[in-house]
């Protein structure tokens, strides 16, 4: 299938996301710009622009486009802001953040996925900085961040992440059991105070690590 056809499918996906309630144009434009079919196995290419999660290597998934859009919308980032993602996976969410002009940092625990995404993002011209390790501990070397997004389901809010937010910064993290999670949006008001909103319901692969589930 040619690129033009994929582009048309992205346009249709954006219309579908709008109908489902995504209204942030900068997010929708990023979805229009990122070739999601490059982030999955070629055998699944035909399904790249369906609004569904798809399998990637190591038993993980590339999130459903609606979920990516919703999480990104909740982050409320502007071009030039520093964003940390936990759970690089396929690299798709990182590419969306780059497309929006963010300064992107992303951590993945599986070396295979880390390597693959690093190569792919570089090949596509996205300048995200990636690290392989336990993202429940954040990435203190580049903290604090304007926004942090966790793309795996946590049992509790990983507190190290809230500490790596700037004052006024936002953490978006799915928290719950293994069946479903509520999307929490936590904003740092000052040194010690945080404000929290909750949006339900989502289903992510587990966040595994020191401040996540046991491996
Ligand atoms: N944002 C990804 C979604 C991938 S699924 C995408 O756009 O494709 C979530 C990812 O989180 C998986 O790849 C999983 O290996 C990773 N993960 C789980 N626990 C983690 C942890 N503690 N630190 C970093 N990555 C983690």
């Amino acid at each position: 299938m040619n690129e033009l056809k994929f582009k048309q499918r992205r346009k249709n996906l954006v219309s579908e996301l709008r109908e489902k309630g995504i209204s942030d144009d900068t997010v929708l434009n990023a979805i229009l710009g990122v070739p999601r079919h490059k982030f999955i196995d070629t055998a699944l290419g035909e399904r790249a622009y369906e609004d569904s999660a798809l399998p990637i290597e190591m038993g993980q998934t590339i999130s459903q486009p609606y979920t990516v859009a919703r999480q990104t919308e909740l982050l409320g980032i502007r071009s030039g802001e520093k964003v940390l993602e936990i759970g690089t996976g396929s690299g798709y969410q990182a590419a969306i953040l780059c497309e929006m002009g963010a300064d992107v940092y992303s951590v993945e625990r599986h070396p295979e996925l880390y390597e693959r995404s690093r190569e792919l993002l570089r090949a596509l011209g996205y300048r995200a900085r990636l690290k392989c390790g336990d993202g429940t501990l954040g990435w203190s070397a580049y903290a604090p961040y304007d926004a942090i997004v966790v793309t795996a389901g946590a049992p509790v809010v990983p507190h190290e992440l809230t500490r790596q937010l700037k004052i006024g910064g936002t953490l978006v993290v799915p928290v719950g059991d293994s069946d479903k999670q509520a999307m929490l949006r936590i904003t740092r008001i000052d040194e010690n105070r945080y404000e929290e909103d909750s949006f339900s319901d989502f289903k992510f692969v587990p966040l595994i690590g020191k401040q996540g589930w046991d491996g």
Side-chain angles (χ1 to χ4, degrees), residues 2 17 19 25 66 73 105 107 110 112 115 119 121 137 145 147 153 179 181-182 201:
N2 60 37
L17 295 176
E19 278 165 26
D25 285 326
Y66 174 79
E73 194 169 63
Y105 299 79
V107 185
H110 281 297
E112 297 83 353
E115 288 289 350
E119 306 264 298
L121 289 167
L137 304 176
Y145 301 93
D179 285 340
Q181 302 91 33
D201 278 331

Side-chain angles (χ1 to χ4, degrees), residues 10-144:
R10 281 202 289 283
K11 277 192 185 157
N12 296 341
L13 173 61
V14 163
S15 308
E16 188 179 338
L17 295 176
R18 246 187 229 289
E19 278 165 26
K20 289 179 176 172
I22 304 297
S23 58
D24 187 329
D25 285 326
T26 57
V27 174
L28 293 168
N29 277 331
I31 286 177
L32 203 55
V34 178
R36 189 170 186 260
H37 60 281
K38 299 261 168 81
F39 293 82
I40 55 176
D41 194 287
T42 45
L44 292 171
E46 278 295 321
R47 302 187 54 199
Y49 300 103
E50 285 175 14
D51 188 22
S52 53
L54 292 169
I56 58 171
E57 286 175 341
M58 310 310 295
Q60 305 302 315
T61 55
I62 179 172
S63 301
Q64 181 185 349
Y66 174 79
T67 303
V68 173
R70 191 73 185 107
Q71 283 199 289
T72 311
E73 194 169 63
L74 288 173
L75 281 178
I77 54 162
R78 297 201 198 114
S79 181
E81 288 189 331
K82 202 200 277 187
V83 183
L84 174 66
E85 176 197 22
I86 308 306
T88 317
S90 68
Y92 179 71
Q93 170 78 73
I96 292 287
L97 297 168
C98 288
E99 189 81 21
M100 292 171 73
D103 181 15
V104 182
Y105 299 79
S106 183
V107 185
E108 169 58 51
R109 66 184 284 270
H110 281 297
E112 297 83 353
L113 293 173
Y114 156 77
E115 288 289 350
R116 246 175 163 267
S117 300
R118 202 177 51 155
E119 306 264 298
L120 178 62
L121 289 167
R122 190 183 292 155
L124 294 174
Y126 292 117
R127 292 152 145 267
R129 205 178 290 239
L130 306 190
K131 172 178 152 169
C132 189
D134 179 5
T136 64
L137 304 176
W139 193 348
S140 59
Y142 295 101

